[in-house]
Amino acid sequence: MLLLTRACEDLEREIQDREEEKVRYLGEKLPPLQMSGLSMVDLQGLCKQLHTKIDVVDEERYDCESKVNKHNKDIHELKLKVQDLGGKFKKPALRKVRVSADEMMRALLGSKHKGSMDLRANLKSVKKEDSKQDKVLTSEVGDWRKNVEAMSGMEGRKKMFDTAGGGQ
C-alpha cells in the first residue's frame, strides 16, 4: 500500500512538472501578441514573422518525427537480430534412460504403488474358435474369383438375365 501511495504521489508530481515545463516553453517561444494600435503595415509584418516562426516549428517537428521513425526502425531491426540469435541455440541431446514399468510407477505414484505390475494380466484372452471362424471367412473369399470368371463375358450376362427374368 505504501508503494502504491508513493507511486501515485510521484505520478501527480510528474504531471505538474510537465504542465509547468509546457507553460515555460510556450512563454519563451510565443510572447504575448500586442496588436492594439498597430497599423496595417505593422500587422502584415507581424503576420510574416509568425509565418516564419511557424515554418521553423514545422521543420523542427518534421526533424523530430523523422528521428523517431528512424529509431523505431533501428529498434525493430535489433529485435529481429535478437530473435535470430535466440533461435540458433543448440538443444542438448537427451540421454536414453532405461526404466522398468515398476520403477516408473513408483516414480509417478510414490508410496501408493504396491508390488510389481503384471501388464499381461490386463490383456484380453483370445479364443481359438474366433481364429477358426476367420479361416472359414478367408476360404469363402476365395470363391468369389470363380464366380467372377463364370459370370464374365456374354454367357455370364445371359445367365444373370435369365435368372433375373425367371424370378419374375
Side-chain angles (χ1 to χ4, degrees), residues 127-156:
K127 297 178 183 176
K128 291 186 179 183
E129 295 174 7
D130 292 339
S131 62
K132 289 179 184 176
Q133 288 177 355
D134 290 340
K135 289 180 183 177
V136 170
L137 289 176
T138 55
S139 64
E140 291 176 6
V141 169
D143 294 338
W144 68 271
R145 289 188 182 123
K146 294 177 186 174
N147 193 15
V148 168
E149 289 174 4
M151 296 303 245
S152 65
M154 286 303 285
E155 295 172 7

Side-chain angles (χ1 to χ4, degrees), residues 71-125:
H71 289 305
N72 285 340
K73 286 180 185 178
D74 291 342
I75 289 171
H76 181 69
E77 290 174 3
L78 290 173
K79 282 182 182 178
L80 291 177
K81 284 183 183 179
V82 167
Q83 287 176 352
D84 289 343
L85 292 176
K88 293 180 182 176
F89 177 71
K90 246 186 176 178
K91 293 182 181 176
L94 299 175
R95 293 182 293 155
K96 292 183 180 180
V97 179
R98 291 186 180 179
V99 179
S100 67
D102 295 329
E103 291 175 2
M104 190 178 300
M105 292 303 288
R106 274 192 220 110
L108 291 173
L109 300 176
S111 62
K112 294 179 183 177
H113 179 69
K114 297 177 183 174
S116 67
M117 185 172 165
D118 187 15
L119 297 176
R120 292 182 183 165
N122 295 333
L123 297 176
K124 292 182 180 178
S125 61

Side-chain angles (χ1 to χ4, degrees), residues 2-56:
L2 292 174
L3 287 174
L4 187 59
T5 56
R6 174 106 187 221
C8 288
E9 291 172 1
D10 289 343
L11 186 62
E12 290 173 5
R13 198 174 317 123
E14 195 173 303
I15 290 171
Q16 288 175 352
D17 290 343
R18 283 186 189 168
E19 287 294 325
E20 291 172 1
E21 180 68 23
K22 183 178 176 181
V23 169
R24 187 187 58 79
Y25 179 78
L26 289 176
E28 289 176 3
K29 295 291 182 176
L30 296 173
L33 292 176
Q34 297 175 355
M35 296 189 308
S36 60
L38 294 177
S39 66
M40 186 63 109
V41 177
D42 292 337
L43 285 175
Q44 288 177 350
L46 182 63
C47 287
K48 288 180 183 178
Q49 286 177 354
L50 289 176
H51 280 290
T52 56
K53 286 184 180 180
I54 289 173
D55 290 339
V56 170

